[in-house]
Amino acid sequence: MTHPHHDPSHCRDLFEKMSEYIDGELDAKAAADIRRHLTGCPHCAVCRDTLQRTVDLCRGLPARPVPPDFSAKLALLVAEQLDSGAGGQEGARP
Amino acid sequence: MTNPKPERETDKDAGLIHAINRGEAGRFGDLVARYQGRLYNFGLRLCNNVQDAEDLVQETFLNVFRHLDGFRQETKFKNWLYRIAGNVCIKKRRRSKFAPEPDLPLEDFMPGEGDALPERPPDWAVQPLDRLLDEELSAALREKIAALPEKYRLVVVLRDIEGFSTEETAGILDISPANVKVRLHRGRLALREALKGYFDHDPSPP
Ligand SMILES: [Zn+2]
């Protein structure tokens, strides 16, 4: 399959900007150029789809609950710190 | 459950921080309760290891406890918290190994001249997301994220999992927004390659 008016160097430029494109961080003109290119270039469209899906999978990754014994340990740690009165009183700085 | 999208609102923690700094130290427990889940998952995603994630949460809260009175409201508390957590993570790694981490050049992800390029997206890019993202893929994805070189991993986790904006991520990591974009793109491309490998070798039918 050939694509008229298709310039492969355009594909390379687009490859660099694909994350900004899917994040909506390009200016209107750059985004419109890419949108136009994508309708005529199946290779770049596949690149966009797989990159978008990679992001979607990261966003969809389920969170895990905090183990209850660790949560209890944290609560104890806080209580100890409060008892020692260290909060905000020490002169140390990072 | 999905991860939050970038948010743009005022600091919902301001009241609580103010109360703690004005002497209600006991409410520090509320702060821990509010953020332990998110920090724990942040730790898991950075390290993919329960012990390391617990250490990260604990060290982060100890640092917050010591330095909360120095927190200035010009940044959101949550962003300040992640900045501390990110530093804990980076220091931890420096202690454990000294080998420099590899860069991911963009050229490595570009198709070569003679490569046959796909004309149609693979199944994994078009299947419904909830059917695709099963336990096995979640576990594989966690491993692949944890395997990214650190500077890319931090950016991918902050942007695509924790939902921070480019600007916020730049502030948390103390790098430029342009640098965030470069690292994010390469990190995503590396993850995409890893996912391609996973699906190419997955013998089980969908
Ligand atoms: Zn193209």
Side-chain angles (χ1 to χ4, degrees):
Chain A
M1 196 157 52
T2 55
H3 303 283
H5 317 301
H6 184 254
D7 174 8
S9 74
H10 209 146
C11 299
R12 292 179 69 88
D13 291 349
L14 198 147
F15 184 81
E16 277 188 56
K17 292 182 189 152
M18 196 64 96
S19 275
E20 285 176 273
Y21 175 72
I22 65 177
D23 290 340
E25 292 187 333
L26 291 174
D27 60 63
K29 190 195 169 294
D33 281 352
I34 290 182
R35 209 172 300 119
R36 204 173 315 117
H37 179 91
L38 286 171
T39 58
C41 180
H43 303 148
C44 286
V46 170
C47 177
R48 186 251 342 256
D49 292 345
T50 50
L51 196 65
Q52 179 68 61
R53 183 42 68 100
T54 302
V55 176
D56 293 342
L57 285 170
C58 285
R59 285 202 192 282
L61 201 57
R64 291 194 228 169
V66 180
D69 56 339
F70 177 61
S71 206
K73 188 180 161 194
L74 269 181
L76 203 66
L77 187 81
V78 171
E80 277 171 20
Q81 293 290 314
L82 290 175
D83 280 349
S84 71
Q89 308 304 313
E90 285 181 351
R93 279 283 165 280
Chain B
M1 191 159 74
T2 56
N3 298 297
K5 291 244 187 301
E7 49 187 61
R8 290 231 169 270
E9 89 276 38
T10 52
D11 194 344
K12 61 184 179 346
D13 300 311
L16 183 53
I17 308 299
H18 201 58
I20 296 167
N21 280 340
R22 298 256 312 240
E24 291 180 55
R27 295 196 63 194
F28 192 79
D30 297 345
L31 203 61
V32 172
R34 188 177 288 181
Y35 280 108
Q36 59 180 338
R38 291 194 61 158
L39 278 185
Y40 178 70
N41 277 279
F42 181 57
L44 276 181
R45 274 132 188 193
L46 289 176
C47 324
N48 201 29
N49 170 298
V50 168
Q51 188 56 54
D52 288 347
E54 292 185 355
D55 288 351
L56 179 133
V57 175
Q58 190 166 320
E59 269 188 63
T60 300
F61 279 127
L62 282 175
N63 276 313
V64 169
F65 193 77
R66 281 184 204 119
H67 304 298
L68 190 63
D69 64 335
F71 167 66
R72 298 287 169 260
Q73 305 277 356
E74 62 243 29
T75 175
K76 269 197 259 176
F77 171 75
K78 191 177 88 184
N79 299 22
W80 186 73
L81 178 71
Y82 272 84
R83 192 185 169 101
I84 292 176
N87 283 333
V88 167
C89 169
I90 290 167
K91 274 192 203 133
K92 235 172 134 54
R93 195 188 69 81
R94 294 219 173 112
R95 256 182 264 134
S96 62
K97 57 176 176 190
F98 296 93
E101 295 233 284
D103 277 322
L104 301 174
L106 197 63
E107 294 71 42
D108 285 9
F109 304 110
M110 286 195 173
E113 284 294 308
D115 289 0
L117 297 172
E119 303 254 330
R120 288 189 308 124
D123 285 348
W124 66 270
V126 289
Q127 269 176 37
L129 196 65
D130 52 353
R131 247 188 48 205
L132 185 68
L133 193 56
D134 56 11
E135 290 267 338
E136 194 194 323
L137 176 56
S138 297
L141 187 55
R142 286 193 177 99
E143 257 175 50
K144 293 174 193 318
I145 292 169
L148 288 174
E150 182 179 76
K151 66 180 183 183
Y152 303 98
R153 186 169 71 240
L154 275 164
V155 171
V156 167
V157 171
L158 288 168
R159 286 282 286 114
D160 287 344
I161 298 184
E162 300 296 331
F164 288 104
S165 70
T166 297
E167 297 290 332
E168 287 177 312
T169 303
I172 289 168
L173 296 177
D174 214 3
I175 58 178
S176 70
N179 208 337
V180 169
K181 289 181 184 185
V182 167
R183 292 187 194 185
L184 177 65
H185 190 43
R186 294 176 194 192
R188 282 174 176 174
L189 289 168
L191 268 188
R192 183 180 69 163
E193 291 308 306
L195 285 170
K196 276 185 194 164
Y198 171 82
F199 287 109
D200 284 350
H201 294 103
D202 183 11
S204 63

